[in-house]
Protein backbone atom coordinates (compact mmCIF):
# COMPACT_ATOMS: atom_id res chain seq x y z
CA UNK A 1 0.00 0.00 0.00
CA UNK A 2 0.96 3.58 -0.29
CA UNK A 3 2.85 4.72 2.83
CA UNK A 4 0.21 7.35 3.52
CA UNK A 5 -2.31 4.62 4.35
CA UNK A 6 -0.44 3.93 7.58
CA UNK A 7 -0.74 7.46 8.87
CA UNK A 8 -4.44 7.73 8.11
CA UNK A 9 -6.57 7.30 11.25
CA UNK A 10 -9.59 5.15 10.43
CA UNK A 11 -12.88 5.90 12.10
CA UNK A 12 -13.36 4.17 15.47
CA UNK A 13 -17.03 3.29 15.32
CA UNK A 14 -17.16 1.12 12.22
CA UNK A 15 -20.05 -1.30 11.71
CA UNK A 16 -19.48 -5.03 11.25
CA UNK A 17 -19.81 -6.82 7.92
CA UNK A 18 -20.95 -10.22 6.72
CA UNK A 19 -18.47 -11.71 4.27
CA UNK A 20 -20.12 -13.73 1.51
CA UNK A 21 -18.15 -16.26 -0.50
CA UNK A 22 -19.85 -18.42 -3.11
CA UNK A 23 -18.04 -21.30 -4.72
CA UNK A 24 -18.47 -24.16 -7.13
CA UNK A 25 -15.79 -26.84 -7.05
CA UNK A 26 -13.17 -24.58 -5.54
CA UNK A 27 -10.07 -26.20 -4.07
CA UNK A 28 -10.49 -26.44 -0.30
CA UNK A 29 -7.00 -24.99 0.23
CA UNK A 30 -7.76 -21.77 -1.64
CA UNK A 31 -11.05 -21.41 0.21
CA UNK A 32 -9.17 -21.90 3.46
CA UNK A 33 -6.65 -19.24 2.47
CA UNK A 34 -9.48 -16.81 1.77
CA UNK A 35 -11.23 -17.49 5.08
CA UNK A 36 -8.04 -17.43 7.13
CA UNK A 37 -6.96 -14.11 5.69
CA UNK A 38 -10.36 -12.58 6.48
CA UNK A 39 -10.13 -13.73 10.10
CA UNK A 40 -6.48 -12.85 10.68
CA UNK A 41 -6.36 -9.55 8.84
CA UNK A 42 -9.55 -7.89 10.11
CA UNK A 43 -10.42 -6.41 13.51
CA UNK A 44 -12.46 -9.30 15.02
CA UNK A 45 -15.37 -7.07 16.03
CA UNK A 46 -15.88 -6.04 12.41
CA UNK A 47 -16.40 -9.56 11.09
CA UNK A 48 -19.90 -10.63 12.01
CA UNK A 49 -19.73 -13.88 10.06
CA UNK A 50 -18.39 -15.52 6.93
CA UNK A 51 -21.15 -17.05 4.86
CA UNK A 52 -20.02 -19.74 2.45
CA UNK A 53 -22.50 -20.60 -0.27
CA UNK A 54 -21.64 -23.95 -1.80
CA UNK A 55 -23.12 -23.79 -5.28
CA UNK A 56 -23.71 -27.52 -5.59
CA UNK A 57 -20.05 -28.57 -5.64
CA UNK A 58 -19.29 -32.22 -6.24
CA UNK A 59 -17.91 -32.61 -2.72
CA UNK A 60 -20.25 -31.26 -0.01
CA UNK A 61 -17.71 -32.19 2.67
CA UNK A 62 -15.33 -29.32 1.88
CA UNK A 63 -17.88 -26.73 2.91
CA UNK A 64 -18.97 -28.71 5.97
CA UNK A 65 -15.40 -29.01 7.21
CA UNK A 66 -14.67 -25.32 6.69
CA UNK A 67 -17.83 -24.44 8.60
CA UNK A 68 -16.15 -25.75 11.76
CA UNK A 69 -13.98 -22.64 11.76
CA UNK A 70 -15.14 -19.82 14.01
CA UNK A 71 -17.73 -17.47 12.48
CA UNK A 72 -18.02 -19.56 9.29
CA UNK A 73 -21.51 -20.63 8.20
CA UNK A 74 -22.32 -22.82 5.24
CA UNK A 75 -25.31 -22.81 2.91
CA UNK A 76 -25.56 -25.32 0.11
CA UNK A 77 -27.63 -25.18 -3.06
CA UNK A 78 -29.72 -28.18 -4.04
CA UNK A 79 -28.72 -27.59 -7.64
CA UNK A 80 -26.31 -25.43 -9.55
CA UNK A 81 -27.58 -21.85 -9.36
CA UNK A 82 -24.65 -19.79 -10.61
CA UNK A 83 -22.84 -17.05 -8.76
CA UNK A 84 -25.62 -14.43 -8.93
CA UNK A 85 -28.38 -16.38 -7.25
CA UNK A 86 -25.81 -17.89 -4.86
CA UNK A 87 -24.62 -14.46 -3.73
CA UNK A 88 -28.19 -13.30 -3.23
CA UNK A 89 -28.84 -16.37 -1.08
CA UNK A 90 -25.81 -15.46 1.03
CA UNK A 91 -26.85 -11.81 1.22
CA UNK A 92 -30.38 -12.72 2.33
CA UNK A 93 -28.94 -14.81 5.16
CA UNK A 94 -26.51 -12.11 6.30
CA UNK A 95 -27.11 -10.49 9.68
CA UNK A 96 -24.66 -7.57 9.49
CA UNK A 97 -25.62 -4.17 8.03
CA UNK A 98 -22.84 -4.26 5.44
CA UNK A 99 -22.12 -6.99 2.89
CA UNK A 100 -18.66 -7.89 1.61
CA UNK A 101 -18.49 -10.20 -1.40
CA UNK A 102 -15.30 -12.14 -2.08
CA UNK A 103 -14.34 -14.77 -4.64
CA UNK A 104 -13.36 -18.16 -3.25
CA UNK A 105 -9.64 -17.74 -4.09
CA UNK A 106 -8.51 -14.53 -2.43
CA UNK A 107 -6.11 -13.30 0.20
CA UNK A 108 -7.14 -10.20 2.12
CA UNK A 109 -4.17 -8.03 2.95
CA UNK A 110 -3.50 -6.07 6.13
CA UNK A 111 -6.13 -3.45 6.97
CA UNK A 112 -8.09 -4.29 3.86
CA UNK A 113 -11.39 -3.86 5.65
CA UNK A 114 -11.35 -0.54 7.51
CA UNK A 115 -10.82 1.79 4.54
CA UNK A 116 -13.75 0.26 2.66
CA UNK A 117 -16.09 0.20 5.66
CA UNK A 118 -15.41 3.85 6.35
CA UNK A 119 -16.41 4.87 2.82
CA UNK A 120 -19.63 2.86 2.84
CA UNK A 121 -20.62 4.09 6.29
CA UNK A 122 -20.15 7.70 5.25
CA UNK A 123 -22.54 7.23 2.34
CA UNK A 124 -24.51 4.02 1.92
CA UNK A 125 -24.89 4.49 -1.83
CA UNK A 126 -21.16 4.06 -2.36
CA UNK A 127 -20.22 0.60 -3.60
CA UNK A 128 -16.51 0.05 -3.04
CA UNK A 129 -13.78 -2.39 -4.05
CA UNK A 130 -10.20 -2.94 -3.01
CA UNK A 131 -7.29 -2.73 -5.40
CA UNK A 132 -7.18 -6.29 -6.65
CA UNK A 133 -3.65 -7.67 -6.43
CA UNK A 134 -2.61 -10.78 -8.29
CA UNK A 135 -2.13 -14.22 -6.81
CA UNK A 136 0.05 -16.01 -9.34
CA UNK A 137 -1.94 -18.96 -10.65
CA UNK A 138 1.12 -21.19 -11.02
CA UNK A 139 2.81 -20.76 -7.64
CA UNK A 140 0.19 -18.83 -5.60
CA UNK A 141 2.62 -16.01 -4.86
CA UNK A 142 1.11 -12.65 -3.90
CA UNK A 143 2.06 -9.95 -6.45
CA UNK A 144 1.15 -6.27 -6.13
CA UNK A 145 -0.93 -4.82 -8.97
CA UNK A 146 -0.80 -1.32 -10.43
CA UNK A 147 -2.78 1.27 -8.51
CA UNK A 148 -3.39 3.30 -11.67
CA UNK A 149 -6.14 1.15 -13.13
CA UNK A 150 -9.89 1.51 -13.35
CA UNK A 151 -12.52 -0.88 -14.60
CA UNK A 152 -13.99 -0.34 -18.05
CA UNK A 153 -15.15 -2.01 -21.24
CA UNK A 154 -15.34 -1.70 -25.03
CA UNK A 155 -18.53 -2.03 -27.02
CA UNK A 156 -18.20 -5.81 -26.84
CA UNK A 157 -19.10 -5.30 -23.16
CA UNK A 158 -16.22 -7.44 -21.91
CA UNK A 159 -14.66 -6.09 -18.72
CA UNK A 160 -11.15 -4.67 -19.08
CA UNK A 161 -8.73 -2.66 -17.02
CA UNK A 162 -8.17 0.89 -18.28
CA UNK A 163 -5.01 2.81 -17.56
CA UNK A 164 -5.86 6.18 -16.12
CA UNK A 165 -5.54 9.16 -18.41
CA UNK A 166 -2.66 11.58 -17.78
CA UNK A 167 -5.05 13.97 -16.04
CA UNK A 168 -6.36 11.28 -13.73
CA UNK A 169 -2.83 10.17 -12.86
CA UNK A 170 -1.82 13.74 -12.08
CA UNK A 171 -4.81 14.16 -9.78
CA UNK A 172 -3.81 10.94 -8.04
CA UNK A 173 -0.28 12.13 -7.50
CA UNK A 174 -1.53 15.01 -5.38
CA UNK A 175 -3.69 12.65 -3.28
CA UNK A 176 -2.53 9.05 -3.81
CA UNK A 177 -4.93 7.43 -1.37
CA UNK A 178 -8.11 9.17 -2.47
CA UNK A 179 -10.87 6.83 -3.71
CA UNK A 180 -10.87 6.23 -7.46
CA UNK A 181 -14.22 6.49 -9.21
CA UNK A 182 -14.56 3.55 -11.56
CA UNK A 183 -17.09 3.06 -14.39
CA UNK A 184 -17.15 -0.70 -13.83
CA UNK A 185 -16.22 -3.18 -11.12
CA UNK A 186 -14.43 -6.42 -11.86
CA UNK A 187 -17.26 -8.02 -9.93
CA UNK A 188 -15.85 -10.60 -7.55
CA UNK A 189 -14.74 -8.41 -4.67
CA UNK A 190 -16.81 -5.52 -3.37
CA UNK A 191 -18.60 -4.07 -0.38
CA UNK A 192 -22.13 -2.68 -0.32
CA UNK A 193 -24.56 -1.56 2.35
CA UNK A 194 -27.09 -4.37 2.81
CA UNK A 195 -30.19 -2.17 2.78
CA UNK A 196 -28.93 -0.43 -0.36
CA UNK A 197 -28.21 -3.79 -2.02
CA UNK A 198 -31.78 -4.85 -1.31
CA UNK A 199 -33.32 -1.58 -2.39
CA UNK A 200 -31.27 -1.53 -5.57
CA UNK A 201 -32.58 -4.92 -6.66
CA UNK A 202 -29.78 -7.26 -5.50
CA UNK A 203 -28.84 -9.11 -8.71
CA UNK A 204 -30.78 -10.11 -11.79
CA UNK A 205 -32.01 -13.51 -10.61
CA UNK A 206 -32.41 -14.75 -14.17
CA UNK A 207 -28.69 -14.57 -14.89
CA UNK A 208 -26.89 -17.89 -14.82
CA UNK A 209 -23.48 -19.27 -13.82
CA UNK A 210 -21.01 -16.43 -14.42
CA UNK A 211 -20.52 -13.20 -16.37
CA UNK A 212 -22.36 -10.00 -17.17
CA UNK A 213 -23.52 -9.43 -13.60
CA UNK A 214 -20.68 -6.99 -12.90
CA UNK A 215 -21.71 -4.96 -15.94
CA UNK A 216 -25.32 -5.00 -14.81
CA UNK A 217 -24.68 -3.98 -11.22
CA UNK A 218 -22.22 -1.29 -12.33
CA UNK A 219 -24.71 0.34 -14.71
CA UNK A 220 -27.43 0.00 -12.08
CA UNK A 221 -25.42 1.57 -9.26
CA UNK A 222 -24.34 4.57 -11.34
CA UNK A 223 -27.62 5.12 -13.16
CA UNK A 224 -29.68 4.74 -9.98
CA UNK A 225 -27.98 7.46 -7.92
CA UNK A 226 -25.07 5.47 -6.46
CA UNK A 227 -21.35 5.40 -7.16
CA UNK A 228 -18.52 2.89 -7.57
CA UNK A 229 -15.09 3.41 -6.09
CA UNK A 230 -11.76 1.63 -5.81
CA UNK A 231 -10.20 2.26 -2.40
CA UNK A 232 -6.39 2.37 -2.77
CA UNK A 233 -5.61 1.61 0.89
CA UNK A 234 -7.56 -1.62 0.71
CA UNK A 235 -5.82 -4.47 -1.09
CA UNK A 236 -6.95 -8.02 -1.70
CA UNK A 237 -5.21 -10.66 -3.80
CA UNK A 238 -7.17 -12.77 -6.29
CA UNK A 239 -6.19 -15.75 -8.42
CA UNK A 240 -6.76 -14.64 -12.02
CA UNK A 241 -6.97 -17.83 -13.99
CA UNK A 242 -7.03 -18.66 -17.67
CA UNK A 243 -9.95 -21.02 -17.58
CA UNK A 244 -12.98 -21.65 -15.44
CA UNK A 245 -12.51 -24.81 -13.41
CA UNK A 246 -16.18 -25.62 -13.84
CA UNK A 247 -18.74 -26.42 -16.52
CA UNK A 248 -21.22 -23.95 -17.99
CA UNK A 249 -24.59 -25.65 -18.41
CA UNK A 250 -25.72 -24.23 -21.77
CA UNK A 251 -22.21 -23.45 -23.07
CA UNK A 252 -19.95 -20.67 -21.76
CA UNK A 253 -20.37 -18.37 -24.78
CA UNK A 254 -24.15 -18.57 -24.73
CA UNK A 255 -24.45 -18.06 -20.99
CA UNK A 256 -22.15 -15.05 -21.03
CA UNK A 257 -23.94 -13.52 -24.01
CA UNK A 258 -27.36 -14.13 -22.51
CA UNK A 259 -26.37 -12.43 -19.25
CA UNK A 260 -24.74 -9.56 -21.12
CA UNK A 261 -27.80 -9.07 -23.32
CA UNK A 262 -29.99 -8.89 -20.22
CA UNK A 263 -27.79 -6.11 -18.88
CA UNK A 264 -27.68 -4.30 -22.23
CA UNK A 265 -31.42 -4.57 -22.87
CA UNK A 266 -32.35 -3.20 -19.46
CA UNK A 267 -29.77 -0.45 -18.98
CA UNK A 268 -28.24 0.71 -22.26
CA UNK A 269 -31.19 2.26 -24.10
CA UNK A 270 -30.45 2.84 -27.80
CA UNK A 271 -26.70 2.44 -27.15
CA UNK A 272 -27.20 -1.31 -27.08
CA UNK A 273 -27.02 -1.09 -30.89
CA UNK A 274 -23.26 -0.56 -30.65
CA UNK A 275 -22.98 -3.75 -28.68
CA UNK A 276 -24.88 -5.62 -31.36
CA UNK A 277 -22.73 -4.02 -34.04
CA UNK A 278 -19.57 -5.11 -32.22
CA UNK A 279 -20.94 -8.58 -31.43
CA UNK A 280 -23.41 -9.42 -34.23
CA UNK A 281 -23.81 -13.03 -33.11
CA UNK A 282 -25.32 -11.88 -29.81
CA UNK A 283 -28.61 -11.21 -31.56
CA UNK A 284 -29.13 -14.93 -31.95
CA UNK A 285 -28.95 -15.70 -28.23
CA UNK A 286 -32.35 -15.46 -26.48
CA UNK A 287 -32.22 -13.42 -23.28
CA UNK A 288 -35.51 -14.30 -21.60
CA UNK A 289 -37.98 -12.00 -19.89
CA UNK A 290 -36.69 -8.69 -18.50
CA UNK A 291 -39.99 -7.14 -17.45
CA UNK A 292 -39.27 -7.06 -13.73
CA UNK A 293 -35.85 -5.48 -14.24
CA UNK A 294 -37.34 -2.78 -16.47
CA UNK A 295 -39.92 -2.10 -13.77
CA UNK A 296 -37.15 -1.89 -11.20
CA UNK A 297 -35.37 0.69 -13.32
CA UNK A 298 -38.54 2.73 -13.51
CA UNK A 299 -39.33 2.40 -9.82
CA UNK A 300 -35.88 3.64 -8.85
CA UNK A 301 -36.08 6.52 -11.37
CA UNK A 302 -32.72 5.62 -12.82
CA UNK A 303 -30.94 7.89 -15.25
CA UNK A 304 -30.54 7.14 -18.95
CA UNK A 305 -27.44 5.42 -20.29
CA UNK A 306 -26.48 8.64 -22.09
CA UNK A 307 -26.00 10.22 -18.67
CA UNK A 308 -23.70 7.39 -17.59
CA UNK A 309 -21.61 7.75 -20.74
CA UNK A 310 -21.30 11.49 -20.36
CA UNK A 311 -20.62 11.70 -16.63
CA UNK A 312 -19.12 8.37 -15.63
CA UNK A 313 -17.30 7.00 -18.69
CA UNK A 314 -16.52 9.88 -21.06
CA UNK A 315 -13.39 7.95 -22.12
CA UNK A 316 -15.50 5.37 -23.95
CA UNK A 317 -15.59 6.37 -27.59
CA UNK A 318 -19.15 6.66 -28.81
CA UNK A 319 -19.12 5.49 -32.42
CA UNK A 320 -22.15 7.51 -33.41
CA UNK A 321 -20.87 10.99 -33.07
CA UNK A 322 -17.83 10.65 -35.26
CA UNK A 323 -18.36 7.57 -37.37
CA UNK A 324 -20.06 6.63 -40.60
CA UNK A 325 -19.66 2.89 -40.10
CA UNK A 326 -18.79 0.68 -37.16
CA UNK A 327 -18.31 -2.94 -36.14
CA UNK A 328 -16.40 -5.76 -37.76
CA UNK A 329 -14.90 -5.36 -41.26
CA UNK A 330 -15.84 -8.57 -42.99
CA UNK A 331 -14.38 -10.26 -46.02
CA UNK A 332 -16.28 -13.50 -46.45
CA UNK A 333 -15.74 -15.47 -43.27
CA UNK A 334 -12.65 -13.45 -42.38
CA UNK A 335 -12.51 -10.16 -40.50
CA UNK A 336 -9.92 -7.42 -40.30
CA UNK A 337 -8.02 -8.03 -37.07
CA UNK A 338 -5.27 -6.21 -35.15
CA UNK A 339 -3.94 -9.67 -34.23
CA UNK A 340 -3.19 -8.12 -30.85
CA UNK A 341 -0.66 -5.71 -32.34
CA UNK A 342 -0.27 -2.16 -31.04
CA UNK A 343 1.32 1.03 -32.38
CA UNK A 344 3.67 0.38 -35.32
CA UNK A 345 2.26 -3.14 -35.72
CA UNK A 346 0.74 -4.59 -38.87
CA UNK A 347 -2.84 -5.75 -39.30
CA UNK A 348 -4.24 -8.94 -40.75
CA UNK A 349 -7.38 -10.98 -41.05
CA UNK A 350 -8.71 -13.75 -38.86
CA UNK A 351 -11.84 -15.89 -38.78
CA UNK A 352 -14.70 -13.59 -37.71
CA UNK A 353 -15.46 -14.36 -34.07
CA UNK A 354 -18.25 -11.84 -33.68
CA UNK A 355 -17.09 -10.66 -30.28
CA UNK A 356 -15.54 -7.30 -31.08
CA UNK A 357 -12.17 -6.80 -29.41
CA UNK A 358 -9.38 -6.96 -32.00
CA UNK A 359 -12.03 -6.99 -34.73
CA UNK A 360 -13.76 -3.75 -33.70
CA UNK A 361 -13.31 -0.97 -36.28
CA UNK A 362 -14.85 2.37 -37.09
CA UNK A 363 -14.80 4.43 -40.27
CA UNK A 364 -14.88 7.97 -38.95
CA UNK A 365 -16.28 11.13 -40.46
CA UNK A 366 -12.76 12.51 -40.75
CA UNK A 367 -12.05 9.47 -42.91
CA UNK A 368 -9.86 7.36 -40.67
CA UNK A 369 -10.22 3.62 -40.12
CA UNK A 370 -9.88 3.29 -36.44
CA UNK A 371 -9.44 0.67 -33.74
CA UNK A 372 -9.60 2.30 -30.30
CA UNK A 373 -7.01 5.11 -30.59
CA UNK A 374 -5.03 3.42 -33.39
CA UNK A 375 -5.59 4.20 -37.06
CA UNK A 376 -4.74 2.35 -40.27
CA UNK A 377 -1.77 4.23 -41.65
CA UNK A 378 0.05 4.23 -44.99
CA UNK A 379 3.78 4.24 -44.41
CA UNK A 380 4.79 3.98 -48.09
CA UNK A 381 2.31 4.78 -50.80
CA UNK A 382 3.20 1.99 -53.23
CA UNK A 383 1.51 -1.28 -54.28
CA UNK A 384 2.58 -4.15 -52.04
CA UNK A 385 3.44 -1.95 -49.06
CA UNK A 386 2.29 -3.07 -45.61
CA UNK A 387 -0.28 -1.08 -43.66
CA UNK A 388 0.53 -0.17 -40.09
CA UNK A 389 -1.31 0.84 -36.94
CA UNK A 390 -0.31 4.28 -35.74
CA UNK A 391 -1.83 6.64 -33.18
CA UNK A 392 -4.71 8.55 -34.78
CA UNK A 393 -4.02 12.15 -35.81
CA UNK A 394 -6.88 14.07 -37.34
CA UNK A 395 -4.73 15.97 -39.81
CA UNK A 396 -2.53 13.06 -40.89
CA UNK A 397 -3.09 12.58 -44.65
CA UNK A 398 -1.56 9.09 -44.35
CA UNK A 399 -4.67 8.01 -42.41
CA UNK A 400 -7.42 9.07 -44.83
CA UNK A 401 -9.61 6.46 -46.49
CA UNK A 402 -12.53 6.46 -48.87
CA UNK A 403 -15.21 3.78 -48.77
CA UNK A 404 -16.13 3.07 -52.40
CA UNK A 405 -19.59 1.88 -53.45
CA UNK A 406 -18.21 -1.51 -54.44
CA UNK A 407 -17.00 -2.07 -50.83
CA UNK A 408 -13.38 -1.17 -51.46
CA UNK A 409 -11.41 0.88 -48.97
CA UNK A 410 -9.29 3.27 -51.00
CA UNK A 411 -6.39 5.33 -49.74
CA UNK A 412 -7.54 8.87 -50.35
CA UNK A 413 -6.21 10.56 -53.43
CA UNK A 414 -4.66 7.35 -54.76
CA UNK A 415 -5.78 4.35 -56.79
CA UNK A 416 -4.64 1.93 -54.06
CA UNK A 417 -6.97 -0.24 -51.93
CA UNK A 418 -6.65 -2.36 -48.80
CA UNK A 419 -5.95 -5.93 -49.85
CA UNK A 420 -5.57 -9.21 -47.95
CA UNK A 421 -3.96 -11.26 -50.71
CA UNK A 422 -0.58 -11.60 -48.96
CA UNK A 423 -1.87 -11.44 -45.41
CA UNK A 424 -0.58 -14.89 -44.50
CA UNK A 425 3.05 -13.95 -45.10
CA UNK A 426 2.96 -10.35 -43.98
CA UNK A 427 -0.32 -8.66 -43.30
CA UNK A 428 -2.68 -6.33 -45.13
CA UNK A 429 -1.13 -4.35 -47.96
CA UNK A 430 -1.97 -1.57 -50.38
CA UNK A 431 -2.65 -2.84 -53.90
CA UNK A 432 -3.97 -1.27 -57.07
CA UNK A 433 -7.76 -1.11 -56.73
CA UNK A 434 -9.41 -3.85 -58.75
CA UNK A 435 -13.18 -4.26 -58.85
CA UNK A 436 -12.74 -7.97 -59.65
CA UNK A 437 -10.57 -8.83 -56.66
CA UNK A 438 -12.32 -10.53 -53.73
CA UNK A 439 -9.39 -9.83 -51.41
CA UNK A 440 -10.28 -6.14 -51.57
CA UNK A 441 -13.91 -6.47 -50.45
CA UNK A 442 -14.62 -5.15 -46.93
CA UNK A 443 -18.07 -4.86 -45.39
CA UNK A 444 -18.88 -3.16 -42.10
CA UNK A 445 -21.43 -4.91 -39.90
CA UNK A 446 -23.13 -1.58 -39.12
CA UNK A 447 -23.40 1.09 -41.82
CA UNK A 448 -25.02 4.51 -41.90
CA UNK A 449 -25.19 5.14 -38.18
CA UNK A 450 -28.19 7.13 -37.08
CA UNK A 451 -27.75 10.01 -34.70
CA UNK A 452 -29.25 10.28 -31.26
N1 LIG B 1 -19.10 -19.44 -8.85
C1 LIG B 1 -20.23 -20.05 -8.31
N2 LIG B 1 -21.10 -20.71 -9.15
C2 LIG B 1 -20.90 -20.80 -10.49
C3 LIG B 1 -19.77 -20.15 -11.04
C4 LIG B 1 -18.88 -19.48 -10.19
O1 LIG B 1 -20.46 -19.98 -7.11
O2 LIG B 1 -21.71 -21.41 -11.19
C5 LIG B 1 -18.17 -18.75 -7.96
C6 LIG B 1 -16.70 -19.14 -8.12
O3 LIG B 1 -16.39 -20.30 -7.36
C7 LIG B 1 -15.98 -17.89 -7.63
C8 LIG B 1 -16.93 -16.78 -8.06
O4 LIG B 1 -18.21 -17.38 -8.30
O5 LIG B 1 -15.87 -17.87 -6.23
C9 LIG B 1 -16.46 -16.07 -9.31
O6 LIG B 1 -16.13 -16.99 -10.32
P1 LIG B 1 -14.68 -17.04 -10.97
O7 LIG B 1 -13.65 -16.85 -9.93
O8 LIG B 1 -14.60 -18.30 -11.79
O9 LIG B 1 -14.73 -15.81 -11.93
P2 LIG B 1 -13.48 -14.91 -12.38
O10 LIG B 1 -12.84 -14.38 -11.14
O11 LIG B 1 -12.57 -15.84 -13.13
O12 LIG B 1 -14.11 -13.86 -13.23
MN1 LIG C 1 -12.29 -15.35 -9.37
Amino acid sequence: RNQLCKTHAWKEDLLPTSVIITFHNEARSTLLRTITSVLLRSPPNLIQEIILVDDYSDKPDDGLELAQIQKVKILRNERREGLMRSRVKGADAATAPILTFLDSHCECNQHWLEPMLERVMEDRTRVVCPIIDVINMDNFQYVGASADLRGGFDWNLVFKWDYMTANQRNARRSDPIAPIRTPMIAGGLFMIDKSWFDELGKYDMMMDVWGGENLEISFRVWQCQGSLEIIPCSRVGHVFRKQHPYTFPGGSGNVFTRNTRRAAEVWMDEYKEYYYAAVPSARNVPFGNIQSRLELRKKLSCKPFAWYLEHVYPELRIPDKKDVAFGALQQGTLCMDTLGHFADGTVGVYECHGSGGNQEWALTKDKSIRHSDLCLTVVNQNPGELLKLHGCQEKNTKQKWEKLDNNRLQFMGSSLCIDSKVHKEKGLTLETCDSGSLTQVWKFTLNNLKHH
Side-chain angles (χ1 to χ4, degrees):
R1 301 194 297 173
N2 189 292
Q3 289 297 318
L4 291 173
C5 298
K6 278 190 189 156
T7 56
H8 187 100
W10 307 108
K11 272 206 189 70
E12 295 282 312
D13 50 350
L14 296 170
L15 291 172
T17 183
S18 297
V19 177
I20 297 155
I21 302 168
T22 74
F23 65 98
H24 176 75
N25 287 354
E26 185 67 54
R28 193 180 51 177
S29 54
T30 45
L31 265 168
L32 180 61
R33 180 179 184 172
T34 312
I35 294 166
T36 311
S37 70
V38 169
L39 292 172
L40 295 181
R41 302 241 171 96
S42 316
N45 61 312
L46 299 183
I47 300 294
Q48 175 108 349
E49 63 202 345
I50 299 174
I51 301 179
L52 296 181
V53 184
D54 176 354
D55 188 14
Y56 197 58
S57 301
D58 297 342
K59 290 192 287 177
D61 286 353
D62 287 351
L64 293 173
E65 281 173 28
L66 291 164
Q68 292 171 26
I69 302 173
Q70 52 159 308
K71 296 192 182 178
V72 178
K73 298 172 183 168
I74 179 89
L75 305 171
R76 182 172 155 92
N77 294 336
E78 299 283 309
R79 51 171 192 173
R80 182 83 175 277
E81 296 287 357
L83 77 88
M84 305 79 178
R85 288 191 292 278
S86 302
R87 282 195 193 145
V88 170
K89 182 176 187 157
D92 288 344
T95 57
I98 294 174
L99 307 173
T100 305
F101 294 100
L102 292 179
D103 268 12
S104 44
H105 33 258
C106 292
E107 179 181 327
C108 304
N109 216 317
Q110 286 167 16
H111 298 290
W112 69 291
L113 193 64
E114 299 94 318
M116 291 200 288
L117 276 175
E118 188 173 285
R119 274 315 270 182
V120 174
M121 281 183 56
E122 273 170 18
D123 177 345
R124 73 177 192 121
T125 68
R126 286 179 192 147
V127 177
V128 303
C129 336
I131 287 182
I132 307 179
D133 287 322
V134 176
I135 299 177
N136 182 300
M137 66 174 168
D138 297 316
N139 60 18
F140 275 17
Q141 197 176 351
Y142 193 105
V143 185
S146 165
D148 287 339
L149 300 172
R150 304 189 311 159
F153 56 92
D154 286 320
W155 288 105
N156 62 7
L157 303 186
V158 175
F159 176 86
K160 69 181 174 83
W161 296 104
D162 285 339
Y163 255 99
M164 290 181 185
T165 62
N167 281 344
Q168 289 163 345
R169 283 202 306 276
N170 284 338
R172 256 180 73 63
R173 231 157 266 144
S174 63
D175 189 358
I177 67 173
I180 302 162
R181 285 157 56 96
T182 181
M184 177 81 29
I185 55 172
L189 293 63
F190 67 97
M191 180 184 284
I192 185 169
D193 181 280
K194 182 175 153 81
S195 68
W196 171 242
F197 182 71
D198 291 347
E199 213 174 298
L200 200 61
K202 301 177 185 182
Y203 272 121
D204 178 348
M205 297 295 273
M206 283 175 70
M207 285 191 180
D208 296 317
V209 190
W210 172 95
E213 91 293 342
N214 57 331
L215 193 79
E216 196 271 345
I217 201 169
S218 298
F219 293 162
R220 183 152 46 91
V221 166
W222 278 116
Q223 287 174 244
C224 310
Q225 288 73 243
S227 61
L228 296 175
E229 296 178 346
I230 296 170
I231 310 298
C233 287
S234 171
R235 305 193 76 131
V236 177
H238 168 259
V239 183
F240 290 91
R241 43 199 184 189
K242 285 207 194 91
Q243 281 173 324
H244 298 283
Y246 43 77
T247 59
F248 274 70
S252 67
N254 281 341
V255 172
F256 180 78
T257 305
R258 181 176 178 278
N259 293 345
T260 303
R261 279 198 82 177
R262 292 184 66 79
E265 290 287 334
V266 174
W267 297 103
M268 290 178 71
D269 306 323
E270 65 274 27
Y271 292 89
K272 69 187 177 193
E273 292 307 324
Y274 302 131
Y275 165 56
Y276 294 128
V279 189
S281 57
R283 284 192 193 277
N284 307 323
V285 179
F287 59 85
N289 189 313
I290 53 170
Q291 195 57 37
S292 67
R293 300 306 282 181
L294 290 170
E295 279 162 17
L296 172 79
R297 178 172 169 174
K298 211 167 155 201
K299 189 182 87 189
L300 295 172
S301 309
C302 305
K303 299 188 182 87
F305 197 69
W307 177 90
Y308 169 88
L309 288 175
E310 189 184 336
H311 294 95
V312 182
Y313 203 13
E315 295 80 14
L316 180 66
R317 221 177 140 269
I318 302 172
D320 224 12
K321 288 203 181 137
K322 294 176 184 144
D323 300 348
V324 280
F326 176 74
L329 258 171
Q330 285 188 300
Q331 182 174 91
T333 60
L334 299 176
C335 279
M336 195 179 290
D337 196 307
T338 66
L339 306 174
H341 300 165
F342 299 105
D344 213 34
T346 56
V347 283
V349 289
Y350 196 82
E351 287 297 321
C352 297
H353 49 55
S355 38
N358 293 345
Q359 297 184 352
E360 191 173 297
W361 298 94
L363 178 65
T364 65
K365 285 204 183 111
D366 57 23
K367 300 194 178 296
S368 66
I369 299 176
R370 182 171 180 135
H371 168 83
S372 187
D373 52 0
L374 295 171
C375 281
L376 278 190
T377 307
V378 172
V379 184
N380 289 305
Q381 190 184 331
N382 295 311
E385 290 288 346
L386 279 173
L387 293 169
K388 290 269 180 95
L389 289 167
H390 283 181
C392 300
Q393 297 161 308
E394 212 183 309
K395 298 215 165 68
N396 189 342
T397 54
K398 300 280 190 187
Q399 298 180 340
K400 303 291 178 195
W401 302 91
E402 207 80 70
K403 186 165 155 291
L404 306 182
D405 288 339
N406 60 357
N407 292 313
R408 263 79 188 150
L409 293 168
Q410 187 181 55
F411 181 47
M412 223 168 84
S414 79
S415 56
L416 299 170
C417 287
I418 301 180
D419 199 309
S420 70
K421 71 180 182 192
V422 297
H423 76 88
K424 286 221 174 70
E425 299 90 88
K426 304 199 278 184
L428 300 185
T429 50
L430 275 183
E431 305 290 345
T432 305
C433 296
D434 169 6
S435 58
S437 166
L438 290 174
T439 54
Q440 292 185 2
V441 176
W442 303 100
K443 287 183 187 160
F444 270 103
T445 44
L446 190 69
N447 277 306
N448 305 321
L449 292 165
K450 285 192 244 70
H451 293 273
H452 300 302

